[in-house]
Amino acid sequence: MTMARHVSGFLAGIMILCVASTAFGSPRPLRSNEDDTSFLNVFDYGAKGDGQSDDSGAFLKAWEAACNGDKAGQGPTIFVPYGKSFLLRPLQFQGPCKSESIQFQIWGNITAPAKIEEWHNCESGSWILFSEITNLKLTGKGYFDGRGQAWWSKDESQLLPHDDDDDSCDRPKALTFLKIVNLELSGPTHLNSPRAHIRLEDSTSVKLTDLLIQAPEDSPNTDGIAIGASSHIEIRDCTIETGDDCIAIKGGTSNIEVTNVKCGPGHGISVGSLGYEGAHETVEEVYVRNCEFKSSDNGARIKTWEGGSGYVRGILFENIKVSDTKRPIIIDQSYCDDQKSSCKVASSVVTISDVTYRHVRGISKSDLAIDLSCAAGTGCTNIVLDDIDLSSEDGEKSYAECKNVFQASFTSVNPPVSCQNS
Ligand SMILES: *[C@@H]1O[C@H](CO)[C@@H](O)[C@H](O)[C@H]1NC(C)=O
């Protein structure tokens, strides 16, 4: 072998090493923010961050850039800096996008208009709509403040109806995620939405973790998380204190896992209501584990209207801690909200089957601690209660009611349950 060959072999070796280390090893060097199309600070798009100026335009420009894809061919990040407050009017972050993924890092505050007159164009029924996006991630320890206070005191009749051609809003939800595939929302706090705080619709593969959601106990319809027509949803490590459902699981949903969530005040984790005005709706495979209900109306609840059709099946509530909660376990197959008119006994029902409550313990605020009210005729089938201990606040007066439950299996249940079937 000649010297020249030795040298060229050596150089080739070095070259291979270099290529290998850029491709697989060391991280990309930090780049300056200028001409960095993968890191989009909302200030570079004209945001003021003073809590007074309307920053909607700046956020939408940043969104457009992010949605168009970055030079590196990687997922762009929209950065919302800490210590600032960004006022956003109702807006939509609309896909589909060229980018493979988009991330929001939210460290500052995102706030809604304080006055109702300042709300316009809520066609989506929400303050901030994310729609038709694949691989969307929102992280950071910032805040979404929906400033719902102005809305809560107005009753619905004062707000409705308004002219078709005026662009004023009905009481909106805060964040809606519509048609999102692969969503991760982890970190931000959600305050005082006019209506539901986080709504998922037509979405799949969703992870919601490390969220704090707060609104006053008496604020109307302020669900924490409302899910419709979606599947493969994981909700983990959240604290939800609001005026309505902690988590509402509505029609068209399947495969929902809720783990380590603290609920209350609020109306508990509800499957339903389903079947309103004859609707055909289905919910299946809902697993709620290691959750806590505190100062809550209702704990683990399933509610369906008579006259509807469809099913609720494969529901598990396991390892549930209860304190100061009214009706910790409740199934209501003849649900009726008094303000609405369709409360009649009907021949069709949404069937309820394969529902298990296991290891549910604590103190019920109402003496009626277990309420299984299934409709005459069809009833509910295969309802399992296993290791339940719910006493009432003043000692031993707690009791259970059970109607029209077939194939029941009750093991180690306090208060004891006996069913009347007609
Ligand atoms: C952000 O919101 C939180 C909660 O309301 C508040 O404590 C904090 O002072 C706000 N920060 C700014 C910069 O407005």
Side-chain angles (χ1 to χ4, degrees), residues 195-226:
R195 200 181 277 271
H197 288 77
I198 297 170
R199 169 169 164 249
L200 303 174
E201 203 62 46
D202 271 321
S203 292
T204 186
S205 297
V206 175
K207 243 185 184 172
L208 308 178
T209 61
D210 293 300
L211 303 176
L212 171 62
I213 304 177
Q214 279 179 324
E217 188 171 358
D218 57 359
S219 58
N221 314 111
T222 51
D223 289 342
I225 299 168

Side-chain angles (χ1 to χ4, degrees), residues 131-144:
S131 97
E132 294 181 65
I133 304 159
T134 300
N135 301 328
L136 173 66
K137 193 167 169 180
L138 292 86
T139 59
K141 283 287 178 189
Y143 292 78
F144 287 96

Side-chain angles (χ1 to χ4, degrees), residues 107-341:
W107 294 96
N109 292 7
I110 296 178
T111 62
K115 296 193 191 121
I116 291 178
E117 309 81 77
E118 293 164 352
W119 287 76
H120 300 283
N121 301 314
C122 314
E123 298 88 6
S124 68
S126 55
W127 171 34
I128 301 175
L129 172 73
F130 296 87
S131 97
E132 294 181 65
I133 304 159
T134 300
N135 301 328
L136 173 66
K137 193 167 169 180
L138 292 86
T139 59
K141 283 287 178 189
Y143 292 78
F144 287 96
D145 186 345
R147 303 237 191 125
Q149 292 86 341
W151 295 91
W152 301 329
S153 53
K154 300 244 179 190
D155 72 61
E156 221 76 344
S157 60
Q158 277 176 283
L159 296 166
L160 287 169
H162 53 77
D163 298 339
D164 283 348
D165 53 353
D166 100 31
D167 65 357
S168 64
C169 296
D170 297 334
R171 189 154 54 88
K173 300 165 184 89
L175 270 50
T176 294
F177 297 93
L178 174 68
K179 298 185 181 163
I180 311 292
V181 177
N182 229 337
L183 166 68
E184 190 178 330
L185 168 57
S186 177
T189 294
H190 303 259
L191 302 175
N192 300 327
S193 172
R195 200 181 277 271
H197 288 77
I198 297 170
R199 169 169 164 249
L200 303 174
E201 203 62 46
D202 271 321
S203 292
T204 186
S205 297
V206 175
K207 243 185 184 172
L208 308 178
T209 61
D210 293 300
L211 303 176
L212 171 62
I213 304 177
Q214 279 179 324
E217 188 171 358
D218 57 359
S219 58
N221 314 111
T222 51
D223 289 342
I225 299 168
I227 308 169
S230 296
S231 63
H232 297 93
I233 313 291
E234 187 184 334
I235 302 172
R236 184 181 285 276
D237 304 326
C238 297
T239 299
I240 303 175
E241 306 167 349
T242 69
D244 205 326
D245 289 337
C246 172
I247 299 173
I249 299 166
K250 315 231 183 212
T253 58
S254 63
N255 218 305
I256 315 287
E257 275 195 59
V258 179
T259 312
N260 193 24
V261 172
K262 292 192 171 70
C263 289
H267 294 178
I269 296 182
S270 298
V271 172
S273 59
L274 302 177
Y276 180 57
E277 294 199 318
H280 176 88
E281 293 184 296
T282 63
V283 172
E284 64 189 319
E285 293 181 76
V286 176
Y287 309 105
V288 179
R289 297 190 178 93
N290 304 339
C291 290
E292 201 178 317
F293 295 109
K294 197 175 173 185
S295 309
S296 175
D297 275 8
N298 311 305
R301 171 157 79 156
I302 298 171
K303 53 178 176 175
T304 63
W305 297 77
E306 285 199 41
S309 65
Y311 55 80
V312 173
R313 65 189 184 201
I315 313 291
L316 170 71
F317 289 96
E318 186 176 59
N319 295 329
I320 309 292
K321 228 165 99 182
V322 173
S323 60
D324 190 29
T325 289
K326 281 187 216 159
R327 289 159 297 182
I329 293 178
I330 174 167
I331 295 178
D332 187 355
Q333 204 175 19
S334 308
Y335 176 71
C336 180
D337 176 336
D338 289 332
Q339 286 145 16
K340 296 176 180 159
S341 54

